[in-house]
Amino acid sequence: MALTRLMTSFATLRPRIEALTRGRVGCSATAEDIVQDTWIRLSNVRHDDAIDNHAAFTMRAAKNAAIGHFRKQQRRNEIDAEVNELLSSSVDEISPERIVMGRDMLRAVDKALQTMPERSRRIFLMNRVNSISHREIARQLGISDEAVYYHIRRVVERLAELRDSNG
């Protein structure tokens, strides 16, 4: 199978792409993941003869992959903040009333989780209870990182509704 001009351009520019990406994200392993994502995206381009400047297209794809990484990370951080807000509250003294309220809230959370679709509940628990990363969950379940984010977001939104309704 002959390499397309776009893939040849990627191979030529790979050291530059790696340096650019590593400089932007500050982590060699993450940079390598982004470079790999760029290669996959470029390998899926079917008509590279319509591209005027293969080098510029390749570099733009790498920059877009890095930007996509930052956006995903920002979404994950937002979810983490929401979950931490949901799960943490200021701890005052432990009283019988607080214990009963805590147990009631735990039952309500469990009930809300049971009403969620199985896949969303499973993904949420894998991430929040078992501390499995989005990428690893996606790999294990054969779905995209975005799908993992969607499922977790769905559960977090339901739990936020529950929190808000219980004041």
Side-chain angles (χ1 to χ4, degrees), residues 32-58:
E32 186 56 38
D33 287 344
I34 293 169
V35 170
Q36 184 67 23
D37 288 344
T38 302
W39 181 85
I40 291 169
R41 288 178 186 181
L42 293 174
S43 69
N44 288 324
V45 174
R46 294 292 166 231
H47 301 288
D48 76 347
D49 53 332
I51 299 168
D52 291 330
N53 186 335
H54 292 84
F57 188 91
T58 299

PDB file of all heavy atoms in Angstrom, residues 32-58:
ATOM      1  N   GLU A  32       2.540  12.092  23.027  1.00  0.00           N
ATOM      2  CA  GLU A  32       2.578  10.927  22.134  1.00  0.00           C
ATOM      3  C   GLU A  32       1.158  10.456  21.796  1.00  0.00           C
ATOM      4  O   GLU A  32       0.881  10.086  20.655  1.00  0.00           O
ATOM      5  CB  GLU A  32       3.387   9.790  22.759  1.00  0.00           C
ATOM      6  CG  GLU A  32       3.580   8.614  21.846  1.00  0.00           C
ATOM      7  CD  GLU A  32       4.234   8.954  20.504  1.00  0.00           C
ATOM      8  OE1 GLU A  32       5.139   9.804  20.458  1.00  0.00           O
ATOM      9  OE2 GLU A  32       3.824   8.366  19.474  1.00  0.00           O
ATOM     10  N   ASP A  33       0.258  10.499  22.767  1.00  0.00           N
ATOM     11  CA  ASP A  33      -1.145  10.143  22.502  1.00  0.00           C
ATOM     12  C   ASP A  33      -1.760  11.099  21.475  1.00  0.00           C
ATOM     13  O   ASP A  33      -2.484  10.673  20.572  1.00  0.00           O
ATOM     14  CB  ASP A  33      -1.975  10.194  23.791  1.00  0.00           C
ATOM     15  CG  ASP A  33      -1.698   9.043  24.727  1.00  0.00           C
ATOM     16  OD1 ASP A  33      -1.092   8.038  24.287  1.00  0.00           O
ATOM     17  OD2 ASP A  33      -2.090   9.144  25.904  1.00  0.00           O
ATOM     18  N   ILE A  34      -1.470  12.373  21.608  1.00  0.00           N
ATOM     19  CA  ILE A  34      -2.008  13.372  20.679  1.00  0.00           C
ATOM     20  C   ILE A  34      -1.419  13.175  19.285  1.00  0.00           C
ATOM     21  O   ILE A  34      -2.131  13.266  18.282  1.00  0.00           O
ATOM     22  CB  ILE A  34      -1.758  14.796  21.205  1.00  0.00           C
ATOM     23  CG1 ILE A  34      -2.585  15.020  22.483  1.00  0.00           C
ATOM     24  CG2 ILE A  34      -2.091  15.846  20.154  1.00  0.00           C
ATOM     25  CD1 ILE A  34      -2.226  16.287  23.239  1.00  0.00           C
ATOM     26  N   VAL A  35      -0.127  12.878  19.214  1.00  0.00           N
ATOM     27  CA  VAL A  35       0.512  12.614  17.919  1.00  0.00           C
ATOM     28  C   VAL A  35      -0.131  11.386  17.276  1.00  0.00           C
ATOM     29  O   VAL A  35      -0.425  11.380  16.075  1.00  0.00           O
ATOM     30  CB  VAL A  35       2.045  12.437  18.086  1.00  0.00           C
ATOM     31  CG1 VAL A  35       2.680  11.922  16.805  1.00  0.00           C
ATOM     32  CG2 VAL A  35       2.684  13.752  18.506  1.00  0.00           C
ATOM     33  N   GLN A  36      -0.385  10.363  18.065  1.00  0.00           N
ATOM     34  CA  GLN A  36      -1.037   9.151  17.554  1.00  0.00           C
ATOM     35  C   GLN A  36      -2.450   9.478  17.050  1.00  0.00           C
ATOM     36  O   GLN A  36      -2.858   9.002  15.991  1.00  0.00           O
ATOM     37  CB  GLN A  36      -1.089   8.078  18.644  1.00  0.00           C
ATOM     38  CG  GLN A  36      -1.657   6.765  18.179  1.00  0.00           C
ATOM     39  CD  GLN A  36      -0.769   6.069  17.167  1.00  0.00           C
ATOM     40  OE1 GLN A  36       0.421   6.309  17.095  1.00  0.00           O
ATOM     41  NE2 GLN A  36      -1.344   5.205  16.374  1.00  0.00           N
ATOM     42  N   ASP A  37      -3.178  10.287  17.815  1.00  0.00           N
ATOM     43  CA  ASP A  37      -4.518  10.702  17.375  1.00  0.00           C
ATOM     44  C   ASP A  37      -4.444  11.460  16.051  1.00  0.00           C
ATOM     45  O   ASP A  37      -5.295  11.291  15.178  1.00  0.00           O
ATOM     46  CB  ASP A  37      -5.190  11.574  18.434  1.00  0.00           C
ATOM     47  CG  ASP A  37      -5.621  10.806  19.669  1.00  0.00           C
ATOM     48  OD1 ASP A  37      -5.679   9.561  19.611  1.00  0.00           O
ATOM     49  OD2 ASP A  37      -5.893  11.458  20.704  1.00  0.00           O
ATOM     50  N   THR A  38      -3.425  12.300  15.916  1.00  0.00           N
ATOM     51  CA  THR A  38      -3.238  13.047  14.670  1.00  0.00           C
ATOM     52  C   THR A  38      -3.003  12.084  13.509  1.00  0.00           C
ATOM     53  O   THR A  38      -3.596  12.230  12.438  1.00  0.00           O
ATOM     54  CB  THR A  38      -2.048  14.027  14.802  1.00  0.00           C
ATOM     55  OG1 THR A  38      -2.299  14.910  15.906  1.00  0.00           O
ATOM     56  CG2 THR A  38      -1.861  14.832  13.530  1.00  0.00           C
ATOM     57  N   TRP A  39      -2.150  11.115  13.723  1.00  0.00           N
ATOM     58  CA  TRP A  39      -1.875  10.127  12.670  1.00  0.00           C
ATOM     59  C   TRP A  39      -3.157   9.403  12.261  1.00  0.00           C
ATOM     60  O   TRP A  39      -3.430   9.232  11.074  1.00  0.00           O
ATOM     61  CB  TRP A  39      -0.826   9.114  13.146  1.00  0.00           C
ATOM     62  CG  TRP A  39      -0.512   8.101  12.094  1.00  0.00           C
ATOM     63  CD1 TRP A  39       0.382   8.223  11.080  1.00  0.00           C
ATOM     64  CD2 TRP A  39      -1.121   6.811  11.929  1.00  0.00           C
ATOM     65  NE1 TRP A  39       0.367   7.102  10.297  1.00  0.00           N
ATOM     66  CE2 TRP A  39      -0.547   6.211  10.799  1.00  0.00           C
ATOM     67  CE3 TRP A  39      -2.099   6.109  12.635  1.00  0.00           C
ATOM     68  CZ2 TRP A  39      -0.912   4.951  10.356  1.00  0.00           C
ATOM     69  CZ3 TRP A  39      -2.461   4.853  12.193  1.00  0.00           C
ATOM     70  CH2 TRP A  39      -1.868   4.288  11.059  1.00  0.00           C
ATOM     71  N   ILE A  40      -3.953   9.014  13.235  1.00  0.00           N
ATOM     72  CA  ILE A  40      -5.210   8.311  12.933  1.00  0.00           C
ATOM     73  C   ILE A  40      -6.136   9.209  12.118  1.00  0.00           C
ATOM     74  O   ILE A  40      -6.712   8.772  11.121  1.00  0.00           O
ATOM     75  CB  ILE A  40      -5.895   7.836  14.231  1.00  0.00           C
ATOM     76  CG1 ILE A  40      -5.071   6.704  14.864  1.00  0.00           C
ATOM     77  CG2 ILE A  40      -7.331   7.384  13.974  1.00  0.00           C
ATOM     78  CD1 ILE A  40      -5.496   6.339  16.268  1.00  0.00           C
ATOM     79  N   ARG A  41      -6.263  10.463  12.532  1.00  0.00           N
ATOM     80  CA  ARG A  41      -7.121  11.398  11.793  1.00  0.00           C
ATOM     81  C   ARG A  41      -6.633  11.571  10.355  1.00  0.00           C
ATOM     82  O   ARG A  41      -7.427  11.564   9.411  1.00  0.00           O
ATOM     83  CB  ARG A  41      -7.161  12.747  12.485  1.00  0.00           C
ATOM     84  CG  ARG A  41      -7.939  12.742  13.771  1.00  0.00           C
ATOM     85  CD  ARG A  41      -7.903  14.095  14.419  1.00  0.00           C
ATOM     86  NE  ARG A  41      -8.540  14.030  15.730  1.00  0.00           N
ATOM     87  CZ  ARG A  41      -8.670  15.070  16.523  1.00  0.00           C
ATOM     88  NH1 ARG A  41      -8.232  16.254  16.150  1.00  0.00           N
ATOM     89  NH2 ARG A  41      -9.246  14.936  17.697  1.00  0.00           N
ATOM     90  N   LEU A  42      -5.338  11.742  10.213  1.00  0.00           N
ATOM     91  CA  LEU A  42      -4.788  11.948   8.868  1.00  0.00           C
ATOM     92  C   LEU A  42      -4.912  10.687   8.017  1.00  0.00           C
ATOM     93  O   LEU A  42      -5.125  10.773   6.806  1.00  0.00           O
ATOM     94  CB  LEU A  42      -3.328  12.402   8.949  1.00  0.00           C
ATOM     95  CG  LEU A  42      -3.093  13.787   9.545  1.00  0.00           C
ATOM     96  CD1 LEU A  42      -1.601  14.042   9.710  1.00  0.00           C
ATOM     97  CD2 LEU A  42      -3.754  14.867   8.703  1.00  0.00           C
ATOM     98  N   SER A  43      -4.780   9.537   8.628  1.00  0.00           N
ATOM     99  CA  SER A  43      -4.872   8.296   7.855  1.00  0.00           C
ATOM    100  C   SER A  43      -6.294   8.047   7.352  1.00  0.00           C
ATOM    101  O   SER A  43      -6.487   7.268   6.418  1.00  0.00           O
ATOM    102  CB  SER A  43      -4.388   7.107   8.686  1.00  0.00           C
ATOM    103  OG  SER A  43      -5.290   6.820   9.739  1.00  0.00           O
ATOM    104  N   ASN A  44      -7.258   8.716   7.953  1.00  0.00           N
ATOM    105  CA  ASN A  44      -8.652   8.568   7.525  1.00  0.00           C
ATOM    106  C   ASN A  44      -9.057   9.548   6.427  1.00  0.00           C
ATOM    107  O   ASN A  44     -10.172   9.478   5.934  1.00  0.00           O
ATOM    108  CB  ASN A  44      -9.593   8.705   8.724  1.00  0.00           C
ATOM    109  CG  ASN A  44      -9.512   7.506   9.630  1.00  0.00           C
ATOM    110  OD1 ASN A  44      -9.348   6.378   9.183  1.00  0.00           O
ATOM    111  ND2 ASN A  44      -9.600   7.750  10.938  1.00  0.00           N
ATOM    112  N   VAL A  45      -8.171  10.467   6.075  1.00  0.00           N
ATOM    113  CA  VAL A  45      -8.452  11.405   4.980  1.00  0.00           C
ATOM    114  C   VAL A  45      -8.352  10.623   3.672  1.00  0.00           C
ATOM    115  O   VAL A  45      -7.326  10.033   3.362  1.00  0.00           O
ATOM    116  CB  VAL A  45      -7.474  12.600   4.998  1.00  0.00           C
ATOM    117  CG1 VAL A  45      -7.680  13.473   3.769  1.00  0.00           C
ATOM    118  CG2 VAL A  45      -7.647  13.400   6.280  1.00  0.00           C
ATOM    119  N   ARG A  46      -9.417  10.599   2.901  1.00  0.00           N
ATOM    120  CA  ARG A  46      -9.482   9.760   1.711  1.00  0.00           C
ATOM    121  C   ARG A  46      -9.011  10.448   0.431  1.00  0.00           C
ATOM    122  O   ARG A  46      -8.543   9.800  -0.480  1.00  0.00           O
ATOM    123  CB  ARG A  46     -10.908   9.240   1.500  1.00  0.00           C
ATOM    124  CG  ARG A  46     -11.350   8.307   2.584  1.00  0.00           C
ATOM    125  CD  ARG A  46     -10.555   7.008   2.497  1.00  0.00           C
ATOM    126  NE  ARG A  46     -10.734   6.252   3.719  1.00  0.00           N
ATOM    127  CZ  ARG A  46      -9.759   5.764   4.450  1.00  0.00           C
ATOM    128  NH1 ARG A  46      -8.514   5.937   4.105  1.00  0.00           N
ATOM    129  NH2 ARG A  46     -10.002   5.091   5.551  1.00  0.00           N
ATOM    130  N   HIS A  47      -9.161  11.729   0.333  1.00  0.00           N
ATOM    131  CA  HIS A  47      -8.827  12.430  -0.907  1.00  0.00           C
ATOM    132  C   HIS A  47      -7.812  13.527  -0.618  1.00  0.00           C
ATOM    133  O   HIS A  47      -8.126  14.712  -0.689  1.00  0.00           O
ATOM    134  CB  HIS A  47     -10.091  13.029  -1.546  1.00  0.00           C
ATOM    135  CG  HIS A  47     -11.109  11.980  -1.866  1.00  0.00           C
ATOM    136  ND1 HIS A  47     -10.943  11.085  -2.891  1.00  0.00           N
ATOM    137  CD2 HIS A  47     -12.284  11.666  -1.275  1.00  0.00           C
ATOM    138  CE1 HIS A  47     -11.985  10.268  -2.922  1.00  0.00           C
ATOM    139  NE2 HIS A  47     -12.802  10.596  -1.955  1.00  0.00           N
ATOM    140  N   ASP A  48      -6.583  13.110  -0.324  1.00  0.00           N
ATOM    141  CA  ASP A  48      -5.598  14.126   0.017  1.00  0.00           C
ATOM    142  C   ASP A  48      -5.106  14.898  -1.206  1.00  0.00           C
ATOM    143  O   ASP A  48      -4.412  15.890  -1.072  1.00  0.00           O
ATOM    144  CB  ASP A  48      -4.449  13.560   0.843  1.00  0.00           C
ATOM    145  CG  ASP A  48      -3.442  12.753   0.045  1.00  0.00           C
ATOM    146  OD1 ASP A  48      -3.726  12.413  -1.118  1.00  0.00           O
ATOM    147  OD2 ASP A  48      -2.376  12.461   0.594  1.00  0.00           O
ATOM    148  N   ASP A  49      -5.507  14.481  -2.398  1.00  0.00           N
ATOM    149  CA  ASP A  49      -5.118  15.229  -3.597  1.00  0.00           C
ATOM    150  C   ASP A  49      -5.854  16.574  -3.669  1.00  0.00           C
ATOM    151  O   ASP A  49      -5.449  17.475  -4.405  1.00  0.00           O
ATOM    152  CB  ASP A  49      -5.352  14.411  -4.868  1.00  0.00           C
ATOM    153  CG  ASP A  49      -6.765  13.861  -4.972  1.00  0.00           C
ATOM    154  OD1 ASP A  49      -7.399  13.627  -3.924  1.00  0.00           O
ATOM    155  OD2 ASP A  49      -7.227  13.654  -6.107  1.00  0.00           O
ATOM    156  N   ALA A  50      -6.920  16.735  -2.882  1.00  0.00           N
ATOM    157  CA  ALA A  50      -7.662  17.993  -2.847  1.00  0.00           C
ATOM    158  C   ALA A  50      -7.007  19.006  -1.906  1.00  0.00           C
ATOM    159  O   ALA A  50      -7.420  20.157  -1.855  1.00  0.00           O
ATOM    160  CB  ALA A  50      -9.099  17.743  -2.406  1.00  0.00           C
ATOM    161  N   ILE A  51      -5.977  18.584  -1.173  1.00  0.00           N
ATOM    162  CA  ILE A  51      -5.291  19.459  -0.220  1.00  0.00           C
ATOM    163  C   ILE A  51      -4.140  20.152  -0.938  1.00  0.00           C
ATOM    164  O   ILE A  51      -3.300  19.494  -1.555  1.00  0.00           O
ATOM    165  CB  ILE A  51      -4.774  18.641   0.983  1.00  0.00           C
ATOM    166  CG1 ILE A  51      -5.955  17.977   1.703  1.00  0.00           C
ATOM    167  CG2 ILE A  51      -3.971  19.520   1.923  1.00  0.00           C
ATOM    168  CD1 ILE A  51      -5.547  16.933   2.722  1.00  0.00           C
ATOM    169  N   ASP A  52      -4.099  21.468  -0.841  1.00  0.00           N
ATOM    170  CA  ASP A  52      -3.061  22.241  -1.526  1.00  0.00           C
ATOM    171  C   ASP A  52      -1.711  22.158  -0.824  1.00  0.00           C
ATOM    172  O   ASP A  52      -0.678  22.010  -1.461  1.00  0.00           O
ATOM    173  CB  ASP A  52      -3.473  23.714  -1.629  1.00  0.00           C
ATOM    174  CG  ASP A  52      -4.643  23.909  -2.579  1.00  0.00           C
ATOM    175  OD1 ASP A  52      -4.777  23.123  -3.537  1.00  0.00           O
ATOM    176  OD2 ASP A  52      -5.425  24.847  -2.346  1.00  0.00           O
ATOM    177  N   ASN A  53      -1.719  22.276   0.510  1.00  0.00           N
ATOM    178  CA  ASN A  53      -0.468  22.321   1.259  1.00  0.00           C
ATOM    179  C   ASN A  53      -0.507  21.227   2.330  1.00  0.00           C
ATOM    180  O   ASN A  53      -1.072  21.425   3.411  1.00  0.00           O
ATOM    181  CB  ASN A  53      -0.292  23.709   1.878  1.00  0.00           C
ATOM    182  CG  ASN A  53       1.044  23.878   2.550  1.00  0.00           C
ATOM    183  OD1 ASN A  53       1.676  22.917   2.972  1.00  0.00           O
ATOM    184  ND2 ASN A  53       1.467  25.130   2.675  1.00  0.00           N
ATOM    185  N   HIS A  54       0.090  20.095   2.023  1.00  0.00           N
ATOM    186  CA  HIS A  54       0.033  18.949   2.924  1.00  0.00           C
ATOM    187  C   HIS A  54       0.725  19.211   4.259  1.00  0.00           C
ATOM    188  O   HIS A  54       0.257  18.771   5.306  1.00  0.00           O
ATOM    189  CB  HIS A  54       0.624  17.709   2.241  1.00  0.00           C
ATOM    190  CG  HIS A  54      -0.214  17.232   1.109  1.00  0.00           C
ATOM    191  ND1 HIS A  54      -0.108  17.761  -0.153  1.00  0.00           N
ATOM    192  CD2 HIS A  54      -1.196  16.307   1.054  1.00  0.00           C
ATOM    193  CE1 HIS A  54      -0.986  17.175  -0.950  1.00  0.00           C
ATOM    194  NE2 HIS A  54      -1.664  16.282  -0.246  1.00  0.00           N
ATOM    195  N   ALA A  55       1.833  19.925   4.237  1.00  0.00           N
ATOM    196  CA  ALA A  55       2.555  20.231   5.480  1.00  0.00           C
ATOM    197  C   ALA A  55       1.704  21.116   6.389  1.00  0.00           C
ATOM    198  O   ALA A  55       1.578  20.847   7.588  1.00  0.00           O
ATOM    199  CB  ALA A  55       3.889  20.903   5.167  1.00  0.00           C
ATOM    200  N   ALA A  56       1.102  22.152   5.833  1.00  0.00           N
ATOM    201  CA  ALA A  56       0.258  23.043   6.636  1.00  0.00           C
ATOM    202  C   ALA A  56      -0.963  22.293   7.168  1.00  0.00           C
ATOM    203  O   ALA A  56      -1.352  22.461   8.330  1.00  0.00           O
ATOM    204  CB  ALA A  56      -0.182  24.250   5.810  1.00  0.00           C
ATOM    205  N   PHE A  57      -1.545  21.451   6.329  1.00  0.00           N
ATOM    206  CA  PHE A  57      -2.708  20.663   6.753  1.00  0.00           C
ATOM    207  C   PHE A  57      -2.331  19.740   7.906  1.00  0.00           C
ATOM    208  O   PHE A  57      -3.060  19.613   8.888  1.00  0.00           O
ATOM    209  CB  PHE A  57      -3.240  19.853   5.561  1.00  0.00           C
ATOM    210  CG  PHE A  57      -4.540  19.153   5.843  1.00  0.00           C
ATOM    211  CD1 PHE A  57      -5.753  19.782   5.579  1.00  0.00           C
ATOM    212  CD2 PHE A  57      -4.564  17.854   6.356  1.00  0.00           C
ATOM    213  CE1 PHE A  57      -6.958  19.131   5.823  1.00  0.00           C
ATOM    214  CE2 PHE A  57      -5.752  17.209   6.608  1.00  0.00           C
ATOM    215  CZ  PHE A  57      -6.960  17.849   6.341  1.00  0.00           C
ATOM    216  N   THR A  58      -1.166  19.104   7.800  1.00  0.00           N
ATOM    217  CA  THR A  58      -0.688  18.182   8.834  1.00  0.00           C
ATOM    218  C   THR A  58      -0.447  18.925  10.153  1.00  0.00           C
ATOM    219  O   THR A  58      -0.862  18.468  11.220  1.00  0.00           O
ATOM    220  CB  THR A  58       0.603  17.490   8.363  1.00  0.00           C
ATOM    221  OG1 THR A  58       0.313  16.755   7.174  1.00  0.00           O
ATOM    222  CG2 THR A  58       1.155  16.559   9.407  1.00  0.00           C
TER     223      THR A  58
END
